Amino acid sequence: MLFGLLILSACRLLAPSPTPDPTAPASGPSTSRPSPTPSDTTAPTATATVTRSPSTLTPSGPAPDYDEALRRSFRDDDEQLPNATRYDLDLTLDIEEAAVSGHERLLYTNAETVPLEALYLRLFPNSPSYGGAMTVTNLTLNGQPVVAVEELEGSALRVDLEPALAPEEQVELSLDFSLALPTDQHPAGSREPGGGYRQLGYYDETVALANAYPIVPVYDDGWNVELAPSHGDAVFSDVAFFDVTITGPAEMVLAASGTCTSSLEDGETDTWACVAAPMRDFNAVLRDDYRVESEDVDDVTVKSVFYAEHEEGGERALDYATDAVRLFNARIGAYPFSELDVVETPTLAGGIEYPGLVVINTSYYEGGSQRMEWVVVHEVLHQWWYSMVGNDQVDEPWLDEALTQYCTLLYYEDKYGEDVASRLLESVFREPYRQLEETGNDKPAGLPVSAYNSGEYGTIVYQKGPLYFHELREEVGEEVFWEILEQYFEQNRYRIATPEDWLAAVEGVAGEAYLDLYETWIGNQ
Ligand SMILES: [Zn+2]
């Protein structure tokens, strides 16, 4: 019964209208407390004395064993990335205050070919679409106090480096931060209502900690620091190593990127120790009544984490996720991590992808929703296109979104056959794009998120974009198309891929005769 589906849901857009009910009983914690005070990072810039090249983070406990986060046959992967940033995070959740206090130490290596005169940190909770409030204090650079400069409405901190950081040199940053989470209830004017897609916050008794720590952005021809449009994904980051400790109420169940172990400290609080690598972000979600079902695929433990009352939905999510992992492990390349979590949350997106963890809108878990399969598979396939093969989600969103959408169709074709897939191709991609064309508002699919309004973004990137991959498959043939996907994956795993990298895979496997298709669908026509 897959026909007639209105399958439009994808990450970060087109949620199935789970409109908050303003008459619903209050369920969140009180958030009436003083507004966050301005950070001491807003003071005029001062230059730190830079002591060069600490080779490792100063030990604060046992060395993290990142191998635990990797499948047995991929445990050398972390050793191939000696220049990846190392994060050491301690997060303490105060559930009554809907707040997180954190300590972060990070070791950053200049992996570029040019000296860096500054290092940036992104404070995404301060972005208008997140609705949180993050304040950084006690910032040190190689052990010396340093003052950073706030930019972009407090969502970026610039740490000047004098002298500039030479290629291959390292710096160690240390800082404390406090994070006020947006919630169901909030005093007028103190926080943004809604918090965008509710990727971050304390809503419906669920704590979601997406991008809840200062993140180093990507440097390519400069630092990628910008305020992303609220209708697209905001984070653009390199793979890194995460050693994370989270302390929170003992009654809560935690799901997080990577692999975590729990040690009950006392009757009231629990501490989870998590390692994740090489991953380009870290996310954690907590809730009292989460239930967990899991299944091993190859040696990946796929976990479905769902509200206790949604057992049927939770089991379906697990089935869809394991089917997707099994297919793409075999056809594209292996998911290298030990664990993948599929987590029900009150996000207002259909679903959102993070490395090692995807969140799925709670409304799909009720009433046997047929949309759930598309959304779960789409988000799971982002582990290949976004998590493992990274891309600039802000400026080149088609590279992960359109490819993920088309690969979702390939999943349906593999599982349900060609007739089902061809009907979905028509209803999910062709027909909505045809309707857009009739309005005269067609645009290339390869533009930045900012070039589209939210409606155009959905139709052009998520519905027109996949048609490029379909046309390419029609022209090169089934076998060659899968080979292109394999090549693109293998050549760009743990890297940031660009459209040129995609075209290199196409040309390398199929020859240059097919490059014109790119101009027709993706490039500027
Ligand atoms: Zn997506």
Side-chain angles (χ1 to χ4, degrees), residues 11 353 378-379 382 401 462:
C11 55
E353 72 279 18
H378 174 107
E379 303 307 341
H382 269 303
E401 294 301 349
Y462 288 71

Side-chain angles (χ1 to χ4, degrees), residues 354-430:
Y354 304 93
L357 183 153
V358 301
V359 300
I360 305 295
N361 187 301
T362 181
S363 68
Y364 297 128
Y365 288 75
E366 297 177 84
S369 164
Q370 292 185 324
R371 292 187 191 181
M372 177 193 260
E373 185 163 14
W374 187 280
V375 175
V376 168
V377 172
H378 174 107
E379 303 307 341
V380 167
L381 295 190
H382 269 303
Q383 296 303 312
W384 279 260
W385 317 128
Y386 165 64
S387 173
M388 286 184 273
V389 176
N391 64 292
D392 186 338
Q393 298 193 106
V394 182
D395 289 336
E396 292 159 347
W398 74 276
L399 208 44
D400 65 318
E401 294 301 349
L403 182 53
T404 295
Q405 281 283 78
Y406 192 63
C407 286
T408 305
L409 186 76
L410 296 177
Y411 160 100
Y412 275 81
E413 186 169 317
D414 178 80
K415 187 168 175 178
Y416 299 107
E418 288 181 13
D419 286 352
V420 169
S422 63
R423 276 186 275 260
L424 290 171
L425 178 75
E426 188 63 26
S427 63
V428 179
F429 301 145
R430 281 216 172 107

Side-chain angles (χ1 to χ4, degrees), residues 7 10 44 95 223 261 311 313 521:
I7 299 172
I95 198 71
W223 286 104
T261 53
E311 185 174 352
W521 291 93

